[in-house]
Amino acid sequence: MPQYQNIVILTGAGISAESGLATFRSSNGLWNNHPVEDVATVEGFQRNPAYVHAFYNELKQELVKAQPNPAHLALTRLQNEYPARISIVTQNVDTLHEKAGSRNIYHIHGQINQAVCQNCGQILETFGDVDTETVCPHCQIMGMMKPNIVFFGENLLCMDEVDRLLRTCDLFLSVGTSGVVFPAAAFVQIAKLNGAETVEFNLEPTSNNYYFDRHIFGKAGSTLPAFIDDLITNR
Ligand code: OAD
């Protein structure tokens, strides 16, 4: 019997930093030249959908080139070599967990390679451009596509399943997230109060650290593979 049966890993922008992607709250963060109210809110999208589409089309071109780093690959190794249910709940809209070959991935903030039709709800999967003239392949209506990114003011995706996983996990890892954006910032609390062991991986202490049993400081590309090696060896 392995030590853990149900492992949940919450990932944030920090896990993709070593793949060359800027984190949100760093000085050269993704929103630096774009006010968050313009590119990541429902009102911003209603005000100027063409501008918001252009922002995500450009970001898509950057994200499509990025490659997974040892932290993403370590999670895939864990899924392949540790006999437990292992779920990755990511706040990241990049697709580096998929590129690393991971499975059971829950994109609670959406994903860059998807757009959703606001008329019929159909998801369009594409790494190509989407704009105000894109026609929904399902309902054939033009101009109703929205990047499938959860804007401030919108509900997170997959939350019923994620909530169930958090309440039943026995090990919760948080990797590269500042823990300031709710509700994801409260996931550690749910896991801990339901009996999970909790470990945080970050460069530095975060403001949201009360419910973590352990903190492992350093770059996730080094700390996470070492931790996972140990888990697999001592399972
Ligand atoms: P942040 O930019 O807020 O935080 C990134 C965290 O990663 C920081 O705490 C860094 O210290 C840490 N970090 C950076 N490099 C690291 C490395 N190599 N190894 C380990 N840790 C590292 O990003 P998130 O917490 O992901 O929402 O931000 C949460 C949400 O804020 C995002 O998903 C985004 C934004 O609103 C949407 O896009 C919907």
Side-chain angles (χ1 to χ4, degrees):
M1 186 81 141
Q3 193 182 356
Y4 303 104
Q5 267 82 58
N6 189 349
I7 303 175
V8 172
I9 303 109
L10 172 67
T11 64
I15 198 172
S16 298
E18 289 160 78
S19 295
L21 302 181
T23 56
F24 285 91
R25 289 165 185 82
S26 59
S27 52
N28 60 344
L30 285 175
W31 292 328
N32 231 12
N33 302 315
H34 301 268
V36 59
E37 310 80 54
D38 288 347
V39 297
T41 63
V42 177
E43 296 73 25
F45 184 61
Q46 284 166 348
R47 216 166 31 238
N48 194 345
Y51 176 81
V52 175
H53 277 303
F55 173 80
Y56 287 102
N57 286 337
E58 198 182 315
L59 181 60
K60 204 181 293 188
Q61 292 320 310
E62 186 190 336
L63 299 191
V64 78
K65 286 187 249 153
Q67 293 304 320
N69 67 57
H72 298 102
L73 296 169
L75 294 181
T76 307
R77 180 168 172 234
L78 184 67
Q79 288 186 320
N80 289 340
E81 297 183 29
Y82 193 93
R85 176 177 179 138
I86 299 168
S87 312
I88 299 172
V89 177
T90 187
Q91 299 169 89
N92 299 342
V93 301
D94 65 53
T95 54
L96 292 176
H97 288 303
E98 284 84 352
K99 278 193 190 169
S102 286
R103 48 194 187 281
N104 301 338
I105 304 162
Y106 299 86
H107 277 275
I108 57 174
H109 287 174
Q111 51 194 99
I112 192 74
N113 61 325
Q114 291 184 346
V116 56
C117 176
Q118 296 180 288
N119 181 54
C120 72
Q122 179 81 8
I123 300 272
L124 169 66
E125 298 247 355
T126 177
F127 275 104
D129 283 359
V130 174
D131 56 32
T132 51
E133 295 184 359
T134 302
V135 173
C136 172
H138 185 67
C139 70
Q140 309 298 329
I141 303 252
M142 188 178 85
M144 294 298 281
M145 300 309 277
K146 171 191 169 290
N148 196 22
I149 306 286
V150 175
F151 292 151
F152 285 100
E154 291 186 308
N155 291 329
L156 269 59
L157 306 177
C158 324
M159 275 311 293
D160 287 348
E161 178 64 5
V162 167
D163 193 56
R164 206 175 58 72
L165 290 168
L166 291 170
R167 285 174 198 285
T168 51
C169 69
D170 44 16
L171 177 63
F172 174 85
L173 309 180
S174 170
V175 186
T177 174
S178 55
V180 297
V181 175
F182 283 84
F187 289 178
V188 61
Q189 180 176 352
I190 299 172
K192 181 73 199 160
L193 295 179
N194 284 277
E197 205 176 313
T198 55
V199 187
E200 180 177 53
F201 297 78
N202 203 301
L203 294 178
E204 57 195 17
T206 61
S207 52
N208 177 35
N209 57 21
Y210 179 72
Y211 290 97
F212 285 106
D213 299 315
R214 282 177 71 191
H215 300 274
I216 298 180
F217 297 121
K219 291 188 172 185
S222 309
T223 56
L224 195 59
F227 179 89
I228 284 173
D229 264 352
D230 213 49
L231 260 188
I232 292 170
T233 310
N234 300 310
R235 68 180 187 213

